[in-house]
Amino acid sequence: MPKKTKAARLKDTAAVPLGTERVKLLLPHNKIQKRIREMAKAIRSDFPTEPLLLLGVLKGAVLFLADLARQIPGEVTFDFIAVSSYGKDSRTSGQVKLNKDIDSSIEGKTVIVVEDILDTGLTLRYLLRILQQRKPKNLRVAVLLDKVERRLTDVHADYVGFPIPNEFVVGYGLDYAERYRNLPDVKILSLPGETR
Ligand code: IMP
Ligand code: MG
């Protein structure tokens, strides 16, 4: 095997799978960056002269928002919101709690909600409902990943990076128990006991 460069060795240890966790590459960093440039172009061409407020959903969307914002020309500001699911069956109850609200008014503004991944869609449905009540001029959604198969509600994103299969993914902001967010790539995580 060829000797690895120092940079390659460092990258390997960016997030080390614990125990029997296994990760498999799904989307390499450069492919993500290329797609983000296209998404930024699409967003700006839909709103050529508008100031845009990118509204990131903490914490998963932080890396995506940081890269997307740098590719959109013109006036761009950002703010953040934090939500969590609760209830007995948090995956399907659709009960979402607002943990941190935005700092300023969105009335009359063109707002792009920036999310890491669209799964059941319940989080986004809740967010769009409360944001719409605040009378933004335009309200759009940009997600990096879309697990189309898992949707439980008819919410959709206006800008989608990649449709992905029904697998649990980590990296590039996405976590498993708060770990792996720092991986530069998106990877599929297989947990102990899973055969796939
Ligand atoms: P939804 O309400 O089911 O659409 O859930 C969306 C949220 O669930 C995302 O913002 C993520 O925080 C989390 N999530 C869903 N699927 C994954 C995954 O494959 N990896 C990591 N987090 C995920
Ligand atoms: Mg999230």
Side-chain angles (χ1 to χ4, degrees), residues 4-187:
K4 284 191 173 171
T5 62
K6 191 176 175 199
R9 282 199 312 273
L10 277 174
K11 201 175 161 193
D12 281 351
T13 56
V16 182
L18 281 187
T20 49
E21 291 170 16
R22 294 284 173 271
V23 291
K24 194 173 84 192
L25 183 64
L26 180 65
L27 301 167
H29 188 73
N30 59 358
K31 195 170 168 185
I32 298 171
Q33 295 306 314
K34 180 167 177 272
R35 184 69 189 120
I36 289 177
R37 286 195 289 275
E38 295 167 356
M39 294 174 84
K41 222 183 223 175
I43 293 171
R44 189 39 98 196
S45 71
D46 286 349
F47 302 101
T49 55
E50 298 267 333
L52 301 173
L53 170 62
L54 301 185
L55 184 52
V57 185
L58 292 172
K59 308 170 200 166
V62 166
L63 304 197
F64 175 40
L65 185 144
D67 287 337
L68 184 67
R70 281 178 281 189
Q71 296 300 329
I72 304 177
E75 193 176 325
V76 173
T77 56
F78 27 94
D79 205 340
F80 294 93
I81 201 163
V83 291
S84 60
S85 303
Y86 67 102
K88 231 169 129 215
D89 183 357
S90 64
R91 293 218 73 112
T92 52
S93 68
Q95 300 190 69
V96 181
K97 189 170 144 245
L98 191 61
N99 294 331
K100 183 222 171 289
D101 204 342
I102 36 185
D103 297 330
S104 50
S105 164
I106 60 165
E107 193 174 335
K109 294 184 181 167
T110 295
V111 178
I112 316 280
V113 176
V114 180
E115 247 288 45
D116 51 1
I117 187 167
L118 190 49
D119 188 27
T120 63
L122 295 170
T123 307
L124 191 61
R125 185 181 66 178
Y126 165 84
L127 267 182
L128 291 177
R129 201 168 53 217
I130 60 165
L131 295 172
Q132 202 71 67
Q133 289 165 359
R134 302 177 184 184
K135 303 191 171 53
K137 180 176 176 191
N138 297 290
L139 185 58
R140 298 288 187 275
V141 176
V143 297
L144 182 68
L145 308 173
D146 186 0
K147 272 191 212 172
V148 190
E149 270 177 65
R150 296 255 313 154
R151 203 76 83 255
L152 292 175
T153 174
D154 69 351
V155 71
H156 84 285
D158 304 282
Y159 310 98
V160 174
F162 302 92
I164 61 163
N166 183 13
E167 303 270 12
F168 194 83
V169 289
V170 294
Y172 196 68
L174 290 130
D175 73 307
Y176 172 63
E178 295 300 325
R179 292 184 295 114
Y180 298 107
R181 292 193 198 275
N182 59 327
L183 283 178
D185 314 308
V186 171
K187 296 189 171 184

